[in-house]
Amino acid sequence: VMRGKARFTSARTMQVTHSNGSVTDVLGRRFLVCTGAEPEIPGLKGLSGVKYWTYQNVLRHPPTELPRSLIVLGGGPVGCELAQAFQRLGSKVTIVAPSILPRESLRAQQVMADILVNTTGIRWVQGRAREVLRRMPGEVTVLLEGADAGFVVASQLLVASGRKARTNDLALAKAGVTFGKEGILVDNEQRSSARHILAAGDCCTSRPALASAW
């Protein structure tokens, strides 16, 4: 096991920088990238001024006290899953999102929205957030887009507006690997565009929309 930060220097070599500043060059016939993903934080006005949760920190460091109410920004799989979990634990949950499971079929979107609202009891505000405010201690206000769109108030905010692959520091382009914000493009055998470099887990995607690197 070699501890450090790795980046490709060519299609067959990597450079590992250790905590003491020393560098080790590694030559390999095959590589497997499993660097995972991290939350993508939107550039909402005021968001940096409030203490918010993401799927990452709420799962790594679960709260010791259940919030009375919770706003979930985002209607994707992660947002829906955590919204249901907190609603069933006893929080009053509101999802703020233009749609539920937007990448799925219209039928799947309708079914999930019906379950969330009518079965689980979650409130769904169909819209987009434009600003986050903390007007009072222990209270977060999310202003919605549009002059008359209104606002939502809760005791805690969970940002679940997306994930991005943790690949920025790998210098994948030097290895000839096709990638995008959602990850390394792989085939059904987890091979990247450089076929000796494989990727697995949240750092990769098989979506054809990522066929060109950026």
Side-chain angles (χ1 to χ4, degrees), residues 71-116:
I71 298 171
V72 177
L73 296 185
V78 173
C80 291
E81 181 179 1
L82 289 173
Q84 288 185 84
F86 277 98
Q87 179 76 15
R88 288 170 175 167
L89 286 170
S91 297
K92 185 177 180 181
V93 178
T94 299
I95 293 177
V96 176
S99 57
I100 299 297
L101 301 184
R103 293 183 177 177
E104 304 302 325
S105 67
L106 181 59
R107 176 58 178 160
Q109 294 180 41
Q110 292 170 339
V111 169
M112 179 55 73
D114 180 66
I115 292 171
L116 291 173

Side-chain angles (χ1 to χ4, degrees), residues 51-202:
K51 188 175 181 180
Y52 59 86
W53 290 343
T54 66
Y55 75 86
Q56 197 172 63
N57 59 30
V58 79
L59 294 177
R60 285 182 179 177
H61 308 286
T64 57
E65 189 173 321
L66 195 67
R68 299 185 312 277
S69 53
L70 176 69
I71 298 171
V72 177
L73 296 185
V78 173
C80 291
E81 181 179 1
L82 289 173
Q84 288 185 84
F86 277 98
Q87 179 76 15
R88 288 170 175 167
L89 286 170
S91 297
K92 185 177 180 181
V93 178
T94 299
I95 293 177
V96 176
S99 57
I100 299 297
L101 301 184
R103 293 183 177 177
E104 304 302 325
S105 67
L106 181 59
R107 176 58 178 160
Q109 294 180 41
Q110 292 170 339
V111 169
M112 179 55 73
D114 180 66
I115 292 171
L116 291 173
V117 175
N118 297 318
T119 302
T120 314
I122 293 170
R123 179 190 178 199
W124 173 29
V125 175
Q126 196 168 359
R128 296 181 185 275
R130 66 176 175 85
E131 187 174 352
V132 179
L133 304 172
R134 185 173 289 281
R135 291 173 170 168
M136 297 177 59
E139 182 179 286
V140 177
T141 300
V142 174
L143 305 183
L144 306 176
E145 286 186 352
D148 301 315
F151 59 91
V152 184
V153 180
S155 58
Q156 183 62 49
L157 176 65
L158 171 65
V159 178
S161 53
R163 295 189 297 177
K164 58 182 179 181
R166 195 181 289 118
T167 57
N168 286 346
D169 299 328
L170 294 177
L172 292 169
K174 291 186 177 181
V177 175
T178 300
F179 67 100
K181 183 180 70 174
E182 295 183 357
I184 299 169
L185 182 66
V186 297
D187 61 17
N188 57 6
E189 295 182 348
Q190 303 303 123
R191 294 175 299 188
S192 72
S193 54
R195 297 175 69 84
H196 66 289
I197 300 176
L198 292 84
D202 290 340

Side-chain angles (χ1 to χ4, degrees), residues 2-7 9 14-26 169:
M2 190 177 296
R3 296 182 179 273
K5 294 183 178 181
R7 63 192 305 272
T9 52
M14 296 194 84
Q15 191 175 78
V16 180
T17 303
H18 307 284
S19 58
N20 62 2
S22 63
V23 174
T24 302
D25 292 317
V26 179
D169 299 328

